[in-house]
Amino acid sequence: MAIHEPCRCFGAGRYRYLSRSRISIRGDHPCRHPAQYQTRLDRISNQSHSSAHRYTRHRRPCALHPIKPLVLVDNTFLSPFYASPLLMGADLVLHSLTKYINGHSDVVMGALILPPHQKALTATLRFLQNAIGAVPSPYDSWLALRGAKTLALRMKAHGLNALALAEFLSTSPHVLSVTYPGLASHPRHDRAIDALSPHARTWISKLTPDKAGIPFGGMISFRIKGGEEAAEKFLTSTRLFTLAESLGGVESLAEHPARMTHGSVPEEERIKLGIEGDLIRLSVGVEEQEDLIEDVKRALDIASRL
């Protein structure tokens, strides 16, 4: 059995699991070579863990494919505020509730969202959840529900802060490149606009137009001048950004994908994914915008002195 995943944009945990299973991950689309492998799932990430590339058009598999694999969209990084994959044709939507939906870094939980017409699949998944025992505790459920109540408020702050910080990074002499599809200069900016949920589009339309771009989630990645040594110095010099692997909480986090989230992925595979020593990932929180920019500016200045 095979899973189609564009550009193989998977996290290290999934890589470790699938590398020990009989499930293969294919980067080429199943419609191109339908007879070569039995694709059951067309998995699309709205954003990858590493370089923040986003797949914003949820293409239905080729009608001639003999199996017609399901389309699953991992919407964790954009959250339900910025993207509504079910409205774009997805069969299932995956969320790590641990991240933005909970938003306070105190829950470990996930969720699958299915449309009304997937009744049979919903029943199967409910049976598996009950039989396997993957049922969250009442307290964890309460915490996640608490976070969901402020999701829209938080996502607006995450997006505005991330856009301002991405704009600053794009002008810094210490930065080689910035990946944030909300930036007007990003090659997939038009696709980011197309992918906006109806409610996010309405909110953004009411904002004062910004030539820099639009808010589009709170995740940024950038490549720092000076390679891995400079990246390490930057990550140990920030004060507001905490060095940690997670994301989506109200606090700002920074990490080094090559050593941390993707440390268990073979180097050759990491390079294919664009994860090299100079790459830094930021989860931009809801702190004061000016403080976040000043913190990053200070850390960049320190790293540039190496």
Side-chain angles (χ1 to χ4, degrees):
M1 184 174 73
I3 295 176
H4 167 240
E5 181 148 2
C7 295
R8 298 169 64 85
C9 295
F10 41 75
R14 190 156 71 257
Y15 180 90
R16 290 194 299 270
Y17 171 75
L18 293 177
S19 65
R20 295 187 180 186
S21 71
R22 296 182 179 180
I23 303 173
S24 61
I25 305 174
R26 300 295 298 258
D28 50 333
H29 198 274
C31 302
R32 296 177 183 172
H33 309 288
Q36 290 185 9
Y37 52 93
Q38 300 295 300
T39 300
R40 299 288 183 179
L41 187 69
D42 189 4
R43 186 188 183 282
I44 303 171
S45 296
N46 263 341
Q47 179 182 17
S48 74
H49 275 266
S50 54
S51 53
H53 291 307
R54 299 168 190 260
Y55 296 87
T56 54
R57 289 178 181 172
H58 310 137
R59 299 169 300 166
R60 293 296 305 174
C62 176
L64 298 179
H65 194 285
I67 296 179
K68 295 182 176 59
L70 294 169
V71 175
L72 179 148
V73 178
D74 187 338
N75 199 35
T76 296
F77 282 37
L78 285 181
S79 86
F81 179 78
Y82 282 104
S84 301
L86 292 182
L87 298 181
M88 303 181 74
D91 294 308
L92 307 91
V93 177
L94 170 69
H95 285 283
S96 172
L97 301 185
T98 305
K99 310 304 193 298
Y100 283 111
I101 292 179
N102 174 58
H104 294 80
S105 304
D106 52 10
V107 163
V108 178
M109 193 186 301
L112 281 172
I113 317 298
L114 288 81
H117 67 270
Q118 291 287 358
K119 292 181 179 179
L121 181 57
T122 300
T124 298
L125 291 172
R126 285 191 182 280
F127 168 78
L128 290 173
Q129 181 188 33
N130 183 63
I132 295 170
V135 180
S137 72
Y139 183 62
D140 284 346
S141 299
W142 178 82
L143 287 174
L145 180 61
R146 167 216 56 183
K149 291 177 180 179
T150 60
L151 177 64
L153 295 173
R154 289 184 285 105
M155 293 313 298
K156 291 175 182 178
H158 285 300
L160 290 170
N161 282 351
L163 175 61
L165 187 54
E167 182 181 10
F168 164 75
L169 287 169
S170 66
T171 62
S172 172
H174 309 311
V175 173
L176 294 172
S177 64
V178 181
T179 303
Y180 183 71
L183 285 175
S185 58
H186 191 278
R188 295 183 180 177
H189 181 67
D190 291 342
R191 294 180 65 180
I193 294 175
D194 291 343
L196 286 171
S197 65
H199 39 274
R201 189 182 302 276
T202 298
W203 170 64
I204 291 173
S205 70
K206 297 176 181 178
L207 297 174
T208 302
D210 190 339
K211 293 182 180 179
I214 62 170
F216 197 66
M219 300 303 298
I220 301 173
S221 66
F222 70 95
R223 298 188 181 281
I224 189 171
K225 287 184 179 179
E228 188 166 347
E229 186 178 3
E232 181 178 354
K233 189 64 176 177
F234 171 88
L235 290 167
T236 55
S237 299
T238 56
R239 292 177 176 175
L240 279 181
F241 280 85
T242 301
L243 180 61
E245 288 191 4
S246 193
L247 60 103
V250 292
E251 67 282 342
S252 292
L253 304 177
E255 68 113 354
H256 190 253
R259 290 188 180 184
M260 297 172 69
T261 50
H262 289 68
S264 62
V265 178
E267 182 178 5
E268 182 180 350
E269 193 69 42
R270 287 203 308 269
I271 292 174
K272 290 179 182 178
L273 294 170
I275 306 172
E276 300 186 46
D278 60 353
L279 183 68
I280 294 171
R281 189 186 77 177
L282 303 177
S283 174
V284 183
V286 301
E287 301 91 342
E288 288 295 322
Q289 194 174 107
E290 296 79 4
D291 293 341
L292 292 172
I293 293 175
E294 181 59 32
D295 189 39
V296 170
K297 181 179 182 300
R298 174 183 168 279
L300 286 173
D301 289 340
I302 293 174
S304 69
R305 297 172 193 160
L306 293 175

